[in-house]
Amino acid sequence: KFIVHRHKAKSGLTIRSGLARVASWCWMYKAFTAKDWAIFTQNYGMPTRVGKFDRAASDADKEVLWRAVANIAGDCAAIIPAEMSIDFVSVEKGTGAPGQLYERRADWHDRQISKLVLGQTTTTDAVSGGHAVAQEHRLVQEDLERADAKLLSASLTKQLVQLIIALNFGPQATYPRLNIGRPDEVPLNDVVNAIDKLGPQGLTVEASELRDRLGFSDPAKPRKDGKAVELIGGRPPPPAPPA
């Protein structure tokens, strides 16, 4: 009734070998960072109104002052005696602006999740280095894709395919294998260049195979009304023999 797939994405106990356990920490800390960032923006994104009153001010005067600072805008308001002071101390040395600190922390957690799941970062985040770096990182992602497909194929072959074959046809000496993944195809530019250079040297390839790789259909048959089908390409006709 069940197929149990133990995906050994990392070493250690089975419960610790999955990605969700590791990604959950980065996701949780990022969520806390976003919450702290929102609180910081709310508190420091608008000016704080501080009303000062003299010690001789009555309670009614303090109430009037409080209503004045509270009704200007927002909720960040306070009243204090004129002899007192409030200092807002921020840590900027070595960390930059506090708002940038929250942003860098959130971006760092995003990159850790990308490296955990994809094995690289350039396909999800724009980084310096250009197209070449993105291509190299894409190769790492394909390696992880192949490894995941092999692990899943092994679980399904052992727990599903072999049991189905044995149930319907009896025990076998060898069993078919279920393969999951995409074929490693040669880039089309390399295929066209190879045919262009090796064709004159005697290399022969079926035209239907090339059309399948290029996504082209076979040429249509002549129409019933006798009109010719427009075609593009083909070999030029041989020159006429001399008279």
Side-chain angles (χ1 to χ4, degrees), residues 14 19 54 62 89 104 111 114 131 140 169 175 187 190 205 212 228 233:
T14 302
L19 302 182
D54 190 81
K62 296 177 183 179
V89 181
R104 290 199 302 268
R111 291 194 300 270
S114 297
H131 180 70
V140 177
F169 304 100
Y175 292 91
D190 296 341
V205 181
D212 291 340

Coordinates of all heavy atoms in Angstrom, one line a residue, residues 14 19 54 62 89 104 111 114 131 140 169 175 187 190 205 212 228 233:
T14 N 17.9 9.5 8.9 CA 17.0 9.7 7.9 C 16.1 11.0 8.1 O 15.8 11.8 7.2 CB 16.0 8.5 7.8 OG1 16.8 7.4 7.5 CG2 15.0 8.7 6.6
L19 N 15.6 18.0 3.0 CA 15.8 19.5 2.8 C 14.9 20.3 3.7 O 15.3 21.4 4.1 CB 15.6 19.9 1.4 CG 16.5 19.1 0.3 CD1 16.2 19.7 -1.1 CD2 17.9 19.3 0.6
D54 N 6.9 72.1 31.4 CA 7.6 72.6 32.5 C 7.1 71.9 33.8 O 6.0 71.4 33.8 CB 7.4 74.1 32.6 CG 8.3 74.7 33.6 OD1 9.5 75.0 33.3 OD2 7.8 75.0 34.8
K62 N -0.7 69.0 30.8 CA -0.1 67.8 30.2 C -1.0 67.1 29.3 O -0.6 66.6 28.3 CB 0.4 66.9 31.4 CG 1.4 67.5 32.3 CD 1.8 66.5 33.4 CE 2.8 67.1 34.4 NZ 3.1 66.2 35.5
V89 N 19.7 55.7 20.4 CA 21.1 55.2 20.1 C 20.9 54.1 19.0 O 20.2 53.1 19.3 CB 21.8 54.7 21.3 CG1 23.2 54.2 21.0 CG2 21.8 55.8 22.4
R104 N 20.1 42.8 4.3 CA 21.2 41.9 4.1 C 21.0 40.5 4.7 O 21.3 39.5 4.2 CB 22.6 42.4 4.5 CG 23.0 43.6 3.7 CD 24.5 43.8 3.9 NE 24.8 44.1 5.3 CZ 24.9 45.3 5.9 NH1 24.6 46.4 5.1 NH2 25.2 45.4 7.1
R111 N 19.6 33.2 -0.1 CA 20.7 32.6 -0.8 C 21.0 31.2 -0.2 O 21.3 30.2 -0.9 CB 22.0 33.4 -0.8 CG 21.9 34.7 -1.6 CD 23.2 35.3 -1.8 NE 23.9 35.7 -0.6 CZ 23.8 36.9 0.0 NH1 23.0 37.8 -0.5 NH2 24.4 37.1 1.1
S114 N 18.4 28.9 -1.5 CA 18.7 28.6 -3.0 C 19.8 27.6 -3.1 O 19.7 26.6 -3.9 CB 19.0 29.9 -3.7 OG 17.9 30.8 -3.7
H131 N 26.9 36.0 -17.9 CA 26.3 34.8 -18.4 C 27.2 33.6 -18.1 O 26.6 32.5 -17.9 CB 26.1 34.9 -19.9 CG 25.5 33.7 -20.6 ND1 24.2 33.4 -20.4 CD2 26.0 32.7 -21.4 CE1 23.9 32.3 -21.0 NE2 25.0 31.9 -21.7
V140 N 25.7 22.8 -11.9 CA 25.5 22.3 -10.6 C 24.1 21.9 -10.3 O 23.8 20.8 -9.7 CB 26.0 23.3 -9.5 CG1 25.7 22.8 -8.1 CG2 27.4 23.7 -9.7
F169 N 4.0 -12.1 -13.3 CA 4.7 -13.0 -14.1 C 5.6 -14.0 -13.3 O 6.3 -14.8 -13.9 CB 5.6 -12.3 -15.2 CG 4.8 -11.3 -16.0 CD1 4.8 -10.0 -15.8 CD2 4.0 -11.8 -17.1 CE1 4.1 -9.1 -16.6 CE2 3.3 -10.9 -17.9 CZ 3.3 -9.6 -17.6
Y175 N 15.0 -7.8 -13.6 CA 13.7 -7.0 -13.7 C 14.0 -5.7 -14.4 O 15.2 -5.2 -14.4 CB 13.3 -6.6 -12.3 CG 12.8 -7.8 -11.5 CD1 13.6 -8.5 -10.6 CD2 11.4 -8.2 -11.5 CE1 13.2 -9.6 -9.9 CE2 11.0 -9.3 -10.8 CZ 11.8 -10.0 -10.0 OH 11.4 -11.0 -9.3
P187 N 23.7 20.1 -27.6 CA 23.1 21.3 -28.0 C 23.0 21.4 -29.5 O 23.8 20.8 -30.3 CB 24.1 22.4 -27.5 CG 24.8 21.8 -26.4 CD 24.9 20.3 -26.7
D190 N 25.9 22.6 -31.7 CA 26.9 21.6 -31.9 C 26.5 20.5 -32.9 O 27.3 20.1 -33.7 CB 27.3 20.9 -30.6 CG 27.8 21.9 -29.5 OD1 28.3 23.0 -30.0 OD2 27.8 21.6 -28.3
V205 N 23.3 10.8 -41.7 CA 22.4 10.9 -40.6 C 21.0 10.9 -41.2 O 20.8 11.5 -42.3 CB 22.6 12.2 -39.7 CG1 21.6 12.2 -38.6 CG2 24.0 12.2 -39.2
D212 N 13.4 15.7 -35.9 CA 12.9 15.6 -34.6 C 13.7 16.4 -33.6 O 13.1 17.0 -32.7 CB 13.0 14.1 -34.2 CG 12.0 13.2 -35.0 OD1 11.0 13.8 -35.5 OD2 12.2 12.0 -35.0
A228 N 1.6 22.9 -55.9 CA 2.8 22.5 -55.3 C 2.9 23.1 -53.8 O 2.3 24.2 -53.6 CB 4.0 23.1 -56.1
G233 N 14.6 25.4 -48.4 CA 15.8 24.6 -48.3 C 15.9 23.6 -49.3 O 15.2 23.6 -50.3

